[in-house]
Every structure is written in C-alpha cells, then in structure tokens.
Amino acid sequence: MLSLPSLLSERVAAVAGVDPELRPATRPQFGHYQTNVALRLANEQGRPPREVAAELVAKIDLADLCEPLEVAGPGFINLRIRADVLASVATAVLTEPGAGISPAEHPQRVVVDYSSPNVAKQMHVGHLRSTIIGDCFTRVLRAQGHTVIPQNHIGDWGRQFGMLVEQILDEGLDASSLDLPGAEALYQRANTHLKESEEFADRARERVVKLQAGDAETRRIWRQLIEVSLAGFNATYRRMNILLTDADLAGESIYNADLPVVAADLEERGIARIDDGALAVFVEGAQAPAIIRNAAGGYGYTCTDLAAIRHRVGTLGVNRLIYVVGSPQEYHFQQVFAVARLAGYLPDDVSAEFVGFGQVLGADGKKFSTREGTAVTLNSLLDAAEEQAAPPIALAAIKYADLSSGLQKDYTFDAERMVATTGDTGPYLQYAHARANQILRKAEAEGYGFENVTVLDEPAEHQVALLLSRFGEVVAQVGETLQPHRLCGYLYELAGALSVFYEQCPVLKSEGAVRSSRLALCAATKKVLATGLDLLGIEAPDRM
C-alpha cells in the first residue's frame, strides 16, 4: 500500500503540477506535513503566495484523508491527517499479513550472488559484508513475493588444487579428517612447498591436468576438500543466521565444461578475436580488453562469469541479476556485463546490478587485519563481538553496523560501541522490541485485552501511526534501490518515536478504550520492528 505521505504528495502534485516536497511539520500545531509549493509557484507566476496557496487549497481534494487544509505564514500549506485515518492504517498493519509489505506488482525471478568463499580457506572479514548484505537482499525480495535464487559461487576449481592434492599425497593425509582451519593450514604448507621446490611445482601443475581430465583419485581428494570446507562454511552460516544452504551452491567448477563452449561461441560470431595469442573482446570505451582465454590456453574469471550469466538467464530464467562483491571488482563486472550484452547472454529485459561494498576497518582506521597483516577470520570477528554481549545481540550489532551505513563506505569495527543498547545500533532496536513485548506481557497478566487502534488524541500517537504507514513503502524502496540503510534508518526512527510515545502516553495506567488502543499501537509497532529486524537478518528478542 502507498504510505500516507506518498498519497498526500500524489494528490497535491495532481493539482499543483509539481512535486509538493512535503516536509514533516516542525511543531504539532502546524499539522503533520507542510509544503512550500505555493511559494514556488507564486515566484514563477509573479503572484502573492497566499493567494496561490488559497487557490490550491480550494482545489486539492484530501477530505477522505485530512482535516481541512490551512494556509500559514507567507503561504505555506499545512496538512493534518485525520485521526481515524491514522488509526485505520495502524490497525491494518497490526491485522494484515506482512505488516504492510505489499506484494510486488510484477514478481521477478532474481539471482543474488553472494558470500562466495574459497575452498580450503576460512571465511575472512572480506566475506562478512558480502554474506550479510546478500542475505538481507534475499530476505527483502522474498518478502515482496519475488522468487530469489541465491548463488554461492564458491572457489572450488583452479590451479591451487594441484598443490593441495600433491601436499596431501606427500604427507599421507586423509583429507576427510581435516576441519576447515586444518585445510587452511594445509593450504599454507602447500603454498610454501610450491615456492621452495620446483619439482613440487611441476607435480602440482601435472596434478591440475589430472583434475581437469577427471582422474579418479584426484577427483576423490578434491571432493573431500570441498566437503570439509562446506562443513566449516555451513557452521558459520548457522552461527550468523544466514539463509544459504548447500542447495544454493554454484561453484566455479559447475561451469567448467561451458568455458570452451562460451569461448568458441564468442569467437565464431566475431565478438572475440585472437590478440597476441589470447582470445579477447574489445569493449568500446573500456580501458583494456576482456580476456576470455589467455595465451597459454587458460580460462579466467571473465569466461567463468560469462558462463554463469548464460546459465542463470538461459536455464534458471531470471529477470534480475544482483552481484554482491567488494568494490574493487566493479570494473571487472561492468566489463563482464558489457560482453554479456554484446553476446546476447544478457538480454535488454534482464537487469544486471553490481552492488559493491567498502572495507571493514580496525579502530586505527586501517584495513582490519591481524598483527601479521593477514585477513582476520570471520569467526574471530564474531568471537570479539560475543566477548561484549550474548550471541544474538552481538550478531545484531555486527549486521546493523554493516547495513546501516551506505554500502560503498568503509566502516570501523568497534565491538564495544556496536553492542550498545542506546544510540543508532542493532541492540537498541532489539531493546525497543523487547520493551514493547514487556508492556503487552504485563497487560495480558493483568487481563487487559485489545483489538484495534481506535483512539489517537496525542501527537506522539500520531507520529507512531504515521511511521507505521510508511513501512511497506520503505521495504519496496530497499528492494528497488538495494540500499538497506533506508530500512535501518526507518526502524531507528520508529524505535525513537515509540520511546517518545511511552514517555508522553501512559499505556497500562490509562483506561478503557484509550488503554486498548494504545496496546494495539504497541502491538502493531512490535510487529513492524520484528518484521523489519528479520529482513536485516536480526533476531527480535522478547526479553533483554
């Protein structure tokens, strides 16, 4: 449903001919919203502003939503929404499924490509943001009725498996006995061995050829490394309340057979050509060609990503592709999208969006890393937050800190500040939900019931109801713009309005219809807070 502010804007714009640019009124006596549209029009027309304002007020039909419009000061128009309209909107949020989230008019099939850790390596701080952001998009789009197909494009193919398998055979290891930290330690030993021994490096290269040729023993060990890694990844996803499962896996290896097919297709159609031994596509305006196959005959990430797009559009039948990857990869993906458009793998009616994100910084303002300069593991980051608060609160702190600033910005990981239950934090929103639940619990214990929101006499009540009317529209904006900070900002504003409401409007100490209505308003707000937090992947606790 359209929020009340949007409905008002639409009606005023229909008469004024321009966006009224509604602003929340600075004081309750000025109503709920004000517009300076008459002053702008008067300036263009060379007429007195109050005269233009009076003319607009006479023509604007808002009787079903507002009390009579008022002209104020030099020509502002004040709009005050009728209390019964606010009450009915708040009641609809309470009683209807989805808390006001409307199903999308045109449901789509959407791929969200996110998380994408590498086999035999623990997830690190760089995977934190991709995983949290992609999970939020999946939740928001599903809530709107879209079919979301998560794709966890894990790094499960490539030259590194030659050295890993050779190291396992050299050490006589049973790869299935490893855990993920053990697999990463193996990776480091193999990498050192590779640098120190040319003979080992030769064997590792030969082992890659065996892997690609389907050699049974090589494939068995490779499979064991993947299984060990998945067990570690899934444990972290469960710990983080992330929706990804093994059904969402779409690793590099699944496109392996498609790479020569894509290369041949591009070359045969004249989209790609041989340049200095490599097969390349020259995209107009690009700084460098897109390399499909290098001079040594190897296929790189560009070819793999093209094969993935071809599969996702052609086989999965998606309308929208969303890639949640670190900002440094933006040029690569813009180039991939351009080649895919040229090849027809990405038709005009399918959108492809790159959602880049900034780095997680330490307290010193530098890239978050260990003393040795290596990337911090994701689990150690969660451990640090859990030293400050219980797991659900620590997780809320991390997710909210990640999602509440613009995604492209870097943000500082400060566990102590992030877990605070005051200020603009995830735990503050959890506390607001728990507080609303506490009031409802006490009301039930004292035998006080409620049904609908009916009485809204106080400005603080009006403000809460107004905000409730906006929830569905905010969720729709996040689904369209992929900017989760809009939802975070909305929930923070709602929690603040709820706090003012508690201070100014006694709930349990009021009586009769007023108490019943205020309890219903608390219940509607609790429902929106719980729904909104769930869209962020955050638990809404009943007690704190």
Side-chain angles (χ1 to χ4, degrees):
M1 59 183 181
L2 270 182
S3 69
L4 286 173
S6 293
L7 273 173
L8 299 181
S9 285
E10 208 173 73
R11 300 266 191 97
V12 176
V15 173
V18 294
D19 181 356
E21 297 177 12
L22 291 186
R23 296 283 180 268
T26 51
R27 293 181 189 171
Q29 60 264 38
F30 298 147
H32 296 117
Y33 290 95
Q34 291 181 306
T35 173
N36 67 356
V37 68
L39 282 82
R40 285 184 276 135
L41 291 176
N43 191 41
E44 288 174 18
Q45 298 168 10
R47 295 168 58 200
R50 285 186 66 90
E51 183 183 304
V52 175
E55 199 175 276
L56 289 173
V57 165
K59 291 179 182 176
I60 295 168
D61 182 13
L62 284 170
D64 59 328
L65 298 175
C66 292
E67 293 175 14
L69 305 186
E70 300 169 351
V71 178
F76 292 104
I77 298 174
N78 295 344
L79 299 86
R80 186 187 306 277
I81 298 167
R82 284 170 26 193
D84 63 315
V85 172
L86 287 172
S88 69
V89 166
T91 296
V93 167
L94 175 62
T95 57
E96 293 175 8
I101 300 174
S102 299
E105 283 184 41
H106 305 289
Q108 293 181 304
R109 288 174 65 79
V110 187
V111 154
V112 182
D113 184 314
Y114 66 107
S115 196
S116 310
N118 290 313
V119 166
K121 287 185 178 180
Q122 297 179 80
M123 283 195 276
H124 58 75
V125 67
H127 295 110
L128 175 79
R129 301 206 70 186
S130 176
T131 304
I132 290 172
I133 296 162
D135 189 63
C136 175
F137 293 164
T138 298
R139 290 168 183 268
V140 166
L141 292 166
R142 280 182 179 160
Q144 293 182 272
H146 298 292
T147 299
V148 180
I149 306 168
Q151 296 279 273
N152 194 357
H153 190 89
I154 63 170
D156 64 353
W157 197 252
R159 287 174 297 178
Q160 70 272 26
F161 287 97
M163 70 174 191
L164 283 165
V165 173
E166 280 300 313
Q167 190 70 25
I168 285 167
L169 292 171
D170 277 12
E171 294 183 12
L173 268 180
D174 175 6
S176 64
S177 68
L178 296 169
D179 59 8
L180 188 49
E184 183 164 26
L186 169 79
Y187 185 101
Q188 289 163 349
R189 293 196 301 276
N191 204 31
T192 301
H193 198 171
L194 192 80
K195 290 173 183 174
E196 292 174 351
S197 167
E198 191 57 46
E199 183 268 337
F200 179 79
D202 288 340
R203 281 194 285 127
R205 281 191 285 272
E206 288 166 15
R207 185 62 62 176
V208 174
V209 175
K210 289 180 180 178
L211 174 66
Q212 292 170 339
D215 175 70
E217 183 185 39
T218 307
R219 285 285 174 109
R220 179 181 59 81
I221 297 171
W222 169 73
R223 191 72 237 167
Q224 287 175 331
L225 285 169
I226 291 173
E227 294 298 335
V228 163
S229 302
L230 290 182
F233 299 158
N234 288 335
T236 302
Y237 294 144
R238 284 192 296 273
R239 185 179 181 185
M240 290 180 67
N241 187 25
I242 297 297
L243 300 176
L244 286 170
T245 69
D246 285 355
D248 306 316
L249 287 171
E252 291 174 31
S253 63
I254 72 167
Y255 304 111
N256 195 43
D258 292 338
L259 303 185
V261 176
V262 168
D265 178 54
L266 295 174
E267 187 172 11
E268 284 167 15
R269 291 196 285 144
I271 294 165
R273 58 184 169 86
I274 301 295
D275 181 70
D276 204 16
L279 182 66
V281 178
F282 289 80
V283 178
E284 194 176 339
Q287 302 163 7
I291 305 299
I292 307 301
R293 187 182 61 232
N294 64 30
Y299 300 100
Y301 290 125
T302 297
C303 197
T304 304
D305 286 325
L306 286 169
I309 287 174
R310 190 166 164 268
H311 168 72
R312 291 165 182 180
V313 175
T315 306
L316 301 181
V318 302
N319 317 98
R320 186 181 189 188
L321 295 164
I322 299 168
Y323 288 79
V324 186
V325 190
S327 292
Q329 293 295 317
E330 183 169 12
Y331 176 74
H332 164 76
F333 277 99
Q334 296 307 342
Q335 196 173 46
V336 167
F337 296 160
V339 175
R341 294 266 184 226
L342 279 174
Y345 302 157
L346 198 51
D348 291 342
D349 60 350
V350 177
S351 67
E353 295 156 88
F354 174 84
V355 181
F357 51 83
Q359 294 183 335
V360 182
L361 305 178
D364 58 1
K366 295 178 181 175
K367 183 178 175 180
F368 208 95
S369 61
T370 63
R371 285 181 185 175
E372 296 77 36
T374 56
V376 174
T377 66
L378 203 157
N379 279 316
S380 67
L381 210 63
L382 297 174
D383 291 342
E386 287 179 11
E387 286 174 11
Q388 304 291 330
I393 295 166
L395 190 56
I398 290 173
K399 288 189 174 184
Y400 189 82
D402 193 304
L403 297 168
S404 60
S405 58
L407 299 184
Q408 282 73 30
K409 296 178 187 172
D410 299 339
Y411 81 91
T412 302
F413 187 89
D414 179 347
E416 193 174 345
R417 179 189 61 77
M418 285 156 53
V419 300
T421 52
T422 55
D424 191 4
T425 68
Y428 170 68
L429 299 183
Q430 289 180 306
Y431 175 72
H433 178 271
R435 192 176 178 194
N437 192 65
Q438 181 187 29
I439 287 175
L440 296 169
R441 200 167 54 240
K442 282 184 179 177
E444 187 178 9
E446 293 179 29
Y448 301 147
F450 63 89
E451 287 185 3
N452 299 331
V453 179
T454 53
V455 183
L456 293 176
D457 292 333
E458 298 296 326
E461 294 172 308
H462 286 203
Q463 183 59 21
V464 172
L466 257 182
L467 283 168
L468 292 177
S469 91
R470 286 180 47 211
F471 179 57
E473 195 165 79
V474 170
V475 173
Q477 286 173 347
V478 175
E480 182 185 345
T481 65
L482 304 178
Q483 294 177 335
H485 70 271
R486 292 178 181 229
L487 177 57
C488 296
Y490 165 83
L491 293 173
Y492 178 60
E493 192 178 353
L494 179 62
L498 188 65
S499 183
V500 173
F501 163 72
Y502 290 146
E503 290 168 17
Q504 298 181 3
C505 306
V507 179
L508 297 177
K509 289 182 181 177
S510 54
E511 296 180 347
V514 172
R515 181 177 59 216
S516 173
S517 180
R518 287 177 179 173
L519 285 170
L521 194 61
C522 280
T525 308
K526 175 184 173 249
K527 182 179 178 181
V528 166
L529 286 170
T531 306
L533 284 169
D534 184 63
L535 294 178
L536 300 176
I538 293 173
E539 184 181 318
D542 286 341
R543 298 170 189 262
M544 273 180 83

